Amino acid sequence: ISLKVGEELFIEHATLLKKHGAAVVVMAFDEEGQAATEPEKVRICKRSYDILVNRVKFPPEDIIFDPNVLTIGTGMEEHSNYGVDFINACKKIKEQCPYVKISGGISNLSFGFRGVTKIRESIHAIFLHHAIMNSGMDVGIVNSHELLAMNEVEEPLRQACVDLVFNLNEEATEAMLELTQKEKKAIEERKKGGQTVKVVEKSWRDGNATQRLEHSLVNGISEYVDKDVEEARAQADKPLSVIEGPLMDGMNVVGDLFGAGKMFLPQVIKSARVMKKAVAYLLPFMEEEKRAKAIAEGKDPDEADPDDDSAFAGKVLMATVKGDVHDIGKNIVSVVLGCNNYKVYDIGVMCSCEKILDMAIEKNVDVIGLSGLITPSLDEMVDVAKQMKARGFNVPLLIGGATTSKMHTAVKVAPNYFSTVHPVIHVLDASRSVTVVSSLLGENKDDYVGDIEQEYEEMREDYYDGLEDRNFLTFEEAKASKFDIDFDKFPPQPPPRKTGVTVIDSTSLEDILPYIDWNPFFQTWELRGRYPNRGYPKIFDDGAVGPEALKLFNEAQTMLKEIVATKSMTLKGVVGIFPANRSDCGEDVHIYEDEAKRAAGSPLETFCMLRQQSEKESEDPYLSQADFVAPKGHTDHMGMFAVSCFGCDALVKKYEADHDDYSKIMAQALADRLVEAFAEHLHKQIRTDLWGYAKDEILTESDLLKIKYEGIRPAPGYPSQPDHTEKKTMWSAIDATNLAGIGLSESLSMMPASSVSALVFTHSQSKYFAVGQVCKDQVESYAERKGMGLDLVERWLNPILGYEN
């Protein structure tokens, strides 16, 4: 939209967009036409902003301004300043219009040089670098396939682009036209067969040791590290100079490219592997030098501080909280921070609050980062925040992990510790971690924290306002509107071929490879294609991430083949299928050891379920998993299983010893994929063999991933039954620890980390759903049925409580 149509219609358009919850791109046009100069761009955008924010009440964070990228290098003097005017205007618009984003169509800039791609993309590289890095441009319409980084533009073309974009001299356009003519001639000669254009193939290995090391770091090549580092060490005045010189120079380039979105996470992890190997090679020489220096100064060399970390940009402690064993995300963040010259103390998984805080004091860290995957970890993070305040900490606290969210951090964690000196900040993924930490330790910390504080305060207000607006049924009303399956008309599945407990220890890796779902693998590595190339295998066709995704996938296949060949990972699990009926109250499921125990009414275990209570606008029923199991008088059954992929921990230790974070994270990511594939394979085995109710099922692996089979396999702790304590009941029923070697932590995280568990419901009308928030009347009933104290149940169910606890 734009003011080109006049204020009245502009307001009408914006009001309609706001009604539909849309963001808006505002072009820098008004009734007089297009904004061309810096003052015009700023004036029209500020006027548009004031109308949108003050009169329409449009959220400023949903406004994207396009201040018009216009063509330079046309030979017309009035066009010469268009590039620098846009760059300068971006900065002023950001200053005068808080929270907005800036966009632009970049191809317009070099339209006068169309047909000469090298020239056009070089101009774009210089323009984008300064518009993004210096003026805060957020969004650009570009040809990502041809995109160059500024450092990839060679001289003298680079200086000619700078002169043109910033209009530094009157000959800038002529100089660029001259280079353009040369490039056109070169193109023509290449078309003819290159008779007069001699291309000299120059290998990066022809450079000196410093150049080769920088190239290895930027490109993640670890093959020649020891040789090149030794050559660089021999030429340097001291080993530390190699780290402070070419190694840090290379890592700075990596950090800049990653921050600008021109390098992807797998590439960064590979760069970190090169850095770690190089430093590991230099360490013995550095230690020898330290000892010699201490002796020369008459000091005891053994008294030198082995943990001197004064040369780093900052010190960060990373930990997975108590009871949680998942660390792949934390590992990635640690590597990314390390690539940007932060000293990271990663103290592992299942870390108690005391261990975290004591280590933070011992290492005198600047930032503490907490990670967690399972919902009980959320409460652990709250406890850590409370203890940090009680013990007088004054360092920022970062929150991250799959189960965390900005809303939970703002509402539950931040109020216990947040201040302008030591904020609490949610970090969405690894790519944001450097920006967050550098902002917290930089000179603009106060402004950054102030913005976060205001945002979190608004989120808390929205949250509590939302609580007042939410409507719930009473527990009795929800039960009266349950999913009432007619089990006479739609009977349970036929009795299983085998009941009781079965150990699954003969499934090979080869058996489950076709069942791998690769989509989460690319999510782990933060590679996301854009529509229509979002999922596997379409992601390989994505213009931006496709080539790197394909390279990553091929390297994963190489490691996977090695794992299969060496049997360095193995699979084991346990299945239980038991006679089952819904309880008399209709809210739980009793399982029985055999039919005799069913007839005697003597349950082996009781699985307690939760029911939806949030009011619905439709006539849909209020679901509980108990609804999918028939009441007494019907011969019904329920299944369950727990499976694990073993061997990953040993591989991780091997790769850690070799300073190979890339292979370490790759192994963890593959272990997760393998155990999920094992679960999918086993569920099919249950349907077609162990239970056998779908023995004639013919579905492709793709159909399985789309859940086209009959039945469901929800896991305790997930939306259909958000209570992790039900794992204890399952573990008791199938003896998963003794029979399959799968343990539970104190927060009921499965060990090893690459584990999956599930209940198996087979009725044709069973379906996945989310319980959502529940009220106190149901929680009290649930606690009574489980035989647990209300306070303890509320702690475990805290993330889904529909009331303040």
Side-chain angles (χ1 to χ4, degrees), residues 561-622:
K561 288 176 182 177
E562 182 181 346
I563 289 170
V564 171
T566 61
K567 293 182 170 56
S568 50
M569 290 188 192
T570 56
L571 306 171
K572 191 171 185 179
V574 59
V575 176
I577 303 176
F578 302 97
N581 288 114
R582 189 194 309 155
S583 64
D584 291 339
C585 72
E587 297 307 300
D588 305 320
V589 175
H590 299 309
I591 63 169
Y592 303 90
E593 188 172 354
D594 51 38
E595 290 298 337
K597 292 294 176 66
R598 190 208 301 258
S602 177
L604 174 67
E605 298 287 351
T606 297
F607 286 85
C608 296
M609 307 300 184
L610 289 162
R611 184 173 297 282
Q612 294 174 324
Q613 274 189 275
S614 294
E615 188 175 30
K616 302 181 180 184
E617 295 180 358
S618 65
E619 297 299 317
D620 290 344
Y622 290 76

Side-chain angles (χ1 to χ4, degrees), residues 732-798:
S732 174
I734 59 178
D735 198 14
T737 301
N738 291 323
L739 295 181
I742 309 170
L744 293 174
S745 73
E746 57 188 311
S747 292
L748 302 181
S749 182
M750 293 175 286
M751 302 179 292
S754 295
S755 300
V756 173
S757 64
L759 295 175
V760 178
F761 298 91
T762 61
H763 195 275
S764 59
Q765 295 185 40
S766 59
K767 53 189 172 183
Y768 291 102
F769 65 95
V771 168
Q773 292 193 313
V774 294
C775 295
K776 193 158 189 173
D777 56 352
Q778 179 170 189
V779 176
E780 289 172 340
S781 170
Y782 187 72
E784 183 179 349
R785 296 182 342 251
K786 284 178 70 72
M788 288 175 64
L790 179 62
D791 289 347
L792 183 58
V793 169
E794 286 181 327
R795 180 177 175 85
W796 281 101
L797 297 183
N798 189 51

Side-chain angles (χ1 to χ4, degrees), residues 521-555:
F521 173 79
F522 294 108
Q523 293 165 11
T524 296
W525 289 97
E526 297 183 12
L527 290 176
R528 302 175 181 93
R530 293 189 176 184
Y531 180 83
N533 300 315
R534 284 180 181 153
Y536 167 83
K538 290 183 178 180
I539 190 174
F540 301 143
D541 298 325
D542 187 81
V545 305
E548 186 59 32
L550 182 58
K551 185 177 181 182
L552 177 73
F553 181 74
N554 290 336
E555 290 171 352

